[in-house]
Amino acid sequence: MTEQTPSGAGASYAAAGVDIEAGDRAVELFAPLAKKASRPEVQGGLGGFAGLFALKGGYREPLLAASTDGVGTKIAVAQALDKHDTVGLDLVAMVVDDLVVCGAEPLFLQDYIAVGRVVPERVAELVSGIAEGCVQAGCALLGGETAEHPGLMGPDDYDLSATGVGVVEADAVLGPDRVRPGDVVIAMGASGLHSNGYSLARKVLLDIDRMSLTGHVEEFGRTLGEELLEPTRIYAKDCLALIAETDVRTFAHVTGGGLANNLARVLPAGMVAELDRGTWNPAPVFKMIAQRGRVERVEMEKTFNMGVGMVAVVAPEDADRALAVLTARHIECWTLGTVKKAKDADAARAVLVGDHPRF
């Protein structure tokens, strides 16, 4: 016996939970926003099966760099507050600031938005943040995909990811092979938690301490939700400016794994970077998580950026110039440590020493 729908009508895609008309409406809303995030090399417009980008600029031996990332459980905070216009900035930051680590200039980005149900206005909010992030990074939003997943995701659930592509000359790639003993490690201040450690932050502040996202927190001077949704700082243009004006050996984007572990990824065997905790104070949000969750220092430092979002390793003679360049670009920065020859070739390549003045 053939099953019938309750009304007796035939099944449809809309009845199954996929609203193509809502998807079209979302495109209408975000298309003007996406067009603002462009570059002269972009060929054609949105809506094609593929985005086209003309690689111009007289490169001698260009290498394309690619990176894919997401936002993680910071999205749960945005969903709880029904505020969706900032996590797109986080998404762009996570992608383009990985690209620039090797010296690549971000060229374009494509996003993927998975939703349980297409709410056009919400999708437009998400894309508005992505487009603004691309503008800040100097790259084009070349296209993307919004996929509706009824039955797989709740109607108000969504997740974000993106892939970015950049370019760097083959002889200008930054990395461990450029690092020398005596090089100086420059820290660039973070805007907050950025986009890592939110599972632990939410566990401590929301589950254990029972704080309200809408409650004012004196230490922050704003609500907990506003603190947690502070967008990730995008350093791409600042790093490119540093490359243009100083001898940069490499960068390290401080994301999951923390400061020492991420810096170790771009240092060669036989060298160690000693990083002095005494050179900065982590923001109050880190202290609150540590105290209220009784989180040990080693756990904090391998989970959170602790106030350092990006690190540059520069030639010692260019350290002062690097600080001046970043300061002129309104980036909080300071000398974090130096690179030395390691006593043991198998020892950790980056270590934190000393104590924060106030933490």
Side-chain angles (χ1 to χ4, degrees):
M1 181 176 178
T2 303
E3 292 185 4
Q4 298 289 326
T5 59
S7 64
S12 68
Y13 212 11
V18 178
D19 190 339
I20 294 177
E21 291 183 357
D24 292 341
R25 173 60 180 155
V27 173
E28 291 177 4
L29 291 175
F30 69 62
L33 304 171
K35 287 180 180 178
K36 295 179 181 179
S38 189
R39 288 174 54 123
E41 301 97 326
V42 174
Q43 306 294 301
L46 297 174
F49 285 93
L52 300 177
F53 190 96
L55 189 60
K56 300 178 180 179
Y59 297 100
R60 302 183 310 278
E61 190 179 353
L63 297 180
L64 294 179
S67 177
T68 299
D69 214 329
V71 180
T73 60
K74 187 172 187 175
I75 286 175
V77 180
Q79 292 171 339
L81 292 171
D82 195 24
K83 179 174 172 53
H84 314 284
D85 59 346
T86 60
V87 287
L89 286 158
D90 296 300
L91 178 64
V92 175
M94 297 302 287
V95 173
V96 299
D97 285 342
D98 275 359
L99 288 175
V100 80
V101 163
C102 69
E105 175 191 0
L107 297 177
F108 60 83
L109 179 141
Q110 290 198 316
D111 63 62
Y112 179 81
I113 304 174
V115 301
R117 173 174 57 98
V118 171
V119 179
E121 294 76 15
R122 183 187 300 152
V123 173
E125 282 188 72
L126 294 170
V127 176
S128 72
I130 297 171
E132 173 58 25
C134 287
V135 170
Q136 291 185 21
C139 67
L141 180 54
L142 199 58
E145 167 75 0
T146 301
E148 197 166 20
H149 292 161
L152 182 62
M153 304 175 73
D156 292 323
D157 292 341
Y158 62 83
D159 197 10
L160 307 175
S161 67
T163 295
V165 173
V167 64
V168 59
E169 289 283 7
D171 60 2
V173 174
L174 305 180
D177 59 305
R178 291 176 175 257
V179 179
R180 300 288 182 269
D183 285 347
V184 177
V185 182
I186 303 292
M188 302 181 214
S191 57
L193 295 181
H194 283 186
S195 298
N196 293 100
Y198 274 79
S199 295
L200 178 55
R202 289 166 48 243
K203 179 68 175 179
V204 170
L205 301 178
L206 302 182
D207 295 346
I208 296 175
D209 209 45
R210 299 289 184 180
M211 295 180 70
S212 168
L213 287 172
T214 57
H216 182 84
V217 181
E218 184 176 351
E219 293 93 329
F220 305 154
R222 54 183 174 177
T223 68
L224 175 61
E226 289 170 335
E227 178 71 21
L228 295 182
L229 281 186
E230 178 67 33
T232 304
R233 178 166 287 152
I234 297 174
Y235 302 95
K237 285 186 176 181
D238 307 301
C239 291
L240 293 174
L242 212 55
I243 292 170
E245 299 195 44
T246 68
D247 184 2
V248 177
R249 314 295 205 191
T250 190
F251 293 106
H253 187 198
V254 185
T255 54
L259 174 56
N261 286 337
N262 279 288
L263 181 55
R265 295 167 62 185
V266 294
L267 297 178
M271 294 191 201
V272 58
E274 290 189 357
L275 313 175
D276 184 2
R277 295 187 186 94
T279 60
W280 89 100
N281 288 307
V285 66
F286 299 106
K287 183 176 182 179
M288 183 173 290
I289 293 169
Q291 289 183 340
R292 300 194 181 188
R294 293 186 295 177
V295 184
E296 295 183 359
R297 183 162 75 177
V298 65
E299 186 70 18
M300 290 292 297
E301 291 180 343
K302 73 178 185 181
T303 304
F304 300 105
N305 65 57
M306 299 302 290
V308 180
M310 179 71 79
V311 167
V313 180
V314 303
E317 62 271 18
D318 277 358
D320 289 342
R321 178 61 181 159
L323 292 169
V325 169
L326 293 172
T327 299
R329 298 183 64 83
H330 308 291
I331 296 294
E332 181 187 11
C333 58
W334 63 94
T335 299
L336 182 60
T338 56
V339 177
K340 303 177 180 179
K341 286 186 177 180
K343 296 179 180 179
D344 182 353
D346 296 325
R349 299 183 188 183
V351 294
L352 285 154
V353 299
D355 296 300
H356 300 294
R358 294 186 303 277
F359 185 67

